[in-house]
Every structure is written in C-alpha cells, then in structure tokens.
Amino acid sequence: MIKSSSRLHAAMLTSLLRAPVSFFDVNPAGRILNRFAKDVGCMDEVLPYVLSESVQYAMFTISILVLISVANVWIIGASVPFTILSLYVSKRYTITAREIKRIEAITNSPVCSHVTDTIQGITTVRVYKREAVFLDRFYR
C-alpha cells in the first residue's frame, strides 16, 4: 500500500511540475496547495481505512446472502431488486459527495491563497505594520 501511495504522490507532483505556466496564472497558489494537501491526506489517511471496511462489508454481505440462499432459494429473487436499488443509490451518493468536496475545496481556496500570499510577503507586511489588516482579512 505504501508503494502505490508514494507512486500516486509522485504522479501528482510530476503533473504539477509539467503543467504549463498558464495553469499557474489561472489558478491561485492557495487552490493548488489546498488540492494537493487534500489529495495527499486522503490517500494517506482515509483510503486504507475505507478500502478495508469496504472489503469487510462486501464479504459480510456475500456470506449472508449465501447462507440465506442455502436455506431459502426464493430469497435470491427478492435480493436482486434491492441490489440494483443499492447500486443506484451509491452511484447518486458518489456524484453528490464529489460535488460537495469540490465546493468545499473552492471555499477553502481563498483562505489558503491568503495565507500563502501573506507568508510570501511577510517582510513587507511587517515593515509597513499592516498585520492587523491581514488578520482582519483572514478572519473574515
């Protein structure tokens, strides 16, 4: 699992390094950093846990269906519509969850961009004693 995760990180970094300059003109640094951090965090923390639970639940469900089918063959006919319904609901959920994640990333990007810009120009901010202005913008 570690090797595939590190390959994905390397692929993301390679794609970012090979991006044309116009990509960096269009997308603010905060959005790029936010996306990179979210993807890496998801791959490192959430993905192994979700994959493990998904395999466990799938095996649990299959074993229950096999045991019930042995006892009563007619249950197979009833389980087919429920399986189709659950696949439909999971597909709709995936689309909705992806859209919500996209909206969350868009709303977090200005904050990351502000922090990045502030850190890059921190000497100028301190020279002109404008820390309060930047803190007000940050908390807004």
Side-chain angles (χ1 to χ4, degrees):
M1 191 63 154
I2 294 172
K3 287 184 181 179
S4 65
S5 172
S6 64
R7 273 189 245 146
L8 289 172
H9 295 170
M12 283 177 54
L13 182 60
T14 303
S15 297
L16 190 64
L17 292 175
R18 291 183 179 168
V21 177
S22 61
F23 174 79
F24 297 102
D25 291 339
V26 173
N27 296 306
R31 184 179 297 166
I32 296 169
L33 288 172
N34 188 22
R35 176 64 189 259
F36 202 83
K38 284 256 187 201
D39 287 349
V40 170
C42 181
M43 286 187 293
D44 287 344
E45 296 171 10
V46 177
L47 190 62
Y49 176 73
V50 170
L51 182 64
S52 171
E53 283 209 354
S54 297
V55 170
Q56 287 177 357
Y57 287 138
M59 291 299 171
F60 184 67
T61 304
I62 289 170
S63 63
I64 286 175
L65 286 175
V66 167
L67 287 173
I68 292 175
S69 298
V70 168
N72 187 355
V73 179
W74 296 105
I75 201 72
I76 296 172
S79 66
V80 170
F82 287 115
T83 303
I84 293 170
L85 179 66
S86 67
L87 289 174
Y88 173 76
V89 168
S90 68
K91 185 172 178 84
R92 296 287 296 179
Y93 169 77
T94 303
I95 292 169
T96 306
R98 189 176 299 138
E99 188 67 20
I100 289 172
K101 289 275 189 185
R102 186 187 68 76
I103 292 169
E104 178 190 11
I106 288 172
T107 56
N108 287 340
S109 292
V111 175
C112 290
S113 181
H114 177 70
V115 169
T116 303
D117 293 343
T118 303
I119 290 173
Q120 287 176 350
I122 194 70
T123 55
T124 308
V125 171
R126 287 185 179 161
V127 165
Y128 290 107
K129 297 182 182 202
R130 303 294 287 177
E131 293 95 344
V133 173
F134 280 87
L135 281 174
D136 288 341
R137 284 187 194 161
F138 179 75
Y139 289 124
R140 214 176 326 140

